[in-house]
Amino acid sequence: MSLYIETHGDGPVPLVLLHGWAMHGGVFAPLVEALAEQCTLYVVDLPGHGRSRDCGLPLDPGVIARAIAEHVPPAAWLGWSMGGLVALAAAREPAIPTRGLGMLCATPKFVCDASWPHGSDGALVRRLATDLETDYHATLERFLALEAMGSADPRAELRHLRELVFAYGEPDLRVLQEGIALLENTDWRDMLATLCLPNAWIAGRRDRLVHPDAMRWSAARAQGDFHEIAHAGHAPFLSHVDAVVDALRPLLETVG
């Protein structure tokens, strides 16, 4: 089975949307509705997720980016959370005609260390990997709670994320483990200085998974635009979709 890519809208700006760990493209419904007149949106379900659950591709950003590029025109790529690594992979691949890069609560390095104080605790990531083996559903529940934390209405956002995560069946355990390994081991900070395309970095001030300082640093390194949405957590397109659209507008106007 190939990757599932759904097309929405009829606007002049082509935009690829890439979701985060354990979710699927349906999570972007509010953003798709808000951008449908300005953009033609290519909403991807990553391998092992949603309607790409039976896709045999590994959860390798470069492999996924090249597979997507075979089915979409030259476009801007917007990645949320783990999906940002796929968007970065497209931006760093010379053969993919990426016209712009949007990073939404996403970072080139997720885990903190001595050289990266802005990352998340590596122990948290390792615990997720271990707990997936013994209590799959409880582990997803904890991660969804982390995503909702910091939102203006975390209980409502958590309920919504719970409804979404299993909408097309359970995410494949293999790719969830591959995703954890990606988050733990990927470090693409060095590529940011060589980006030669318009880029925007959109953070939620209350995000408990990707600290705004990580995105502020990344935007400066990539000579891109940085936007911080007050009162938003890790999924601002659910709680503050108008603010996300406003933050994206300069990038989309440049691409268009």
Side-chain angles (χ1 to χ4, degrees):
M1 176 181 174
S2 60
L3 276 175
Y4 183 87
I5 303 175
E6 198 166 73
T7 305
H8 294 271
D10 55 7
V13 181
L15 179 65
V16 177
L17 295 182
L18 302 154
H19 63 82
W21 186 80
M23 297 305 299
H24 52 77
V27 75
F28 288 121
L31 188 59
V32 168
E33 182 179 357
L35 291 174
E37 292 186 6
Q38 184 175 2
C39 300
T40 299
L41 300 121
Y42 301 90
V43 186
V44 180
D45 283 4
L46 297 176
H49 297 73
R51 288 155 289 187
S52 294
R53 191 185 187 284
D54 296 323
C55 174
L57 289 175
L59 204 67
D60 177 290
V63 171
I64 297 169
R66 289 189 290 273
I68 294 169
E70 293 178 1
H71 300 285
V72 303
W77 292 51
L78 175 67
W80 168 54
S81 196
M82 187 187 72
L85 294 178
V86 182
L88 281 173
R92 72 203 297 259
E93 178 67 57
I96 298 177
T98 311
R99 295 170 56 184
L101 171 69
M103 297 288 281
L104 182 56
C105 298
T107 174
K109 178 173 169 57
F110 186 74
V111 174
C112 68
D113 60 23
S115 71
W116 186 239
H118 312 306
S120 291
D121 186 355
L124 168 66
V125 178
R126 289 187 292 274
R127 182 184 173 193
L128 285 172
T130 301
D131 290 353
L132 273 174
E133 295 283 355
T134 57
D135 199 340
Y136 174 97
H137 289 95
T139 304
L140 286 180
E141 175 75 15
R142 283 195 296 274
F143 189 79
L144 295 179
L146 287 170
E147 289 188 319
M149 191 180 299
S151 167
D153 190 349
R155 291 184 179 179
E157 193 159 305
L158 178 56
R159 283 195 301 271
H160 187 48
L161 289 169
R162 282 173 179 154
E163 293 169 0
L164 284 169
V165 68
F166 297 127
Y168 302 107
E170 295 183 350
D172 184 83
L173 176 60
R174 172 186 63 85
V175 295
L176 291 182
Q177 292 168 327
E178 290 177 354
I180 291 294
L182 268 182
L183 294 175
E184 184 173 11
N185 299 317
T186 303
D187 181 358
W188 284 350
R189 289 175 292 172
D190 287 349
M191 70 164 283
L192 299 182
T194 63
L195 277 180
C196 298
L197 74 170
N199 59 97
W201 303 72
I202 304 170
R205 184 175 297 172
R206 297 177 174 178
D207 193 340
R208 297 298 185 269
L209 286 171
V210 176
H211 197 282
D213 285 348
M215 303 195 67
R216 184 180 289 105
W217 182 95
S218 298
R221 183 73 170 169
Q223 298 185 38
D225 295 325
F226 173 75
H227 307 268
E228 183 176 274
I229 300 175
H231 310 299
H234 190 61
F237 52 88
L238 295 179
S239 58
H240 296 76
V241 65
D242 290 341
V244 172
V245 171
D246 286 345
L248 282 173
R249 187 168 288 116
L251 174 68
L252 299 178
E253 289 175 352
T254 300
V255 171

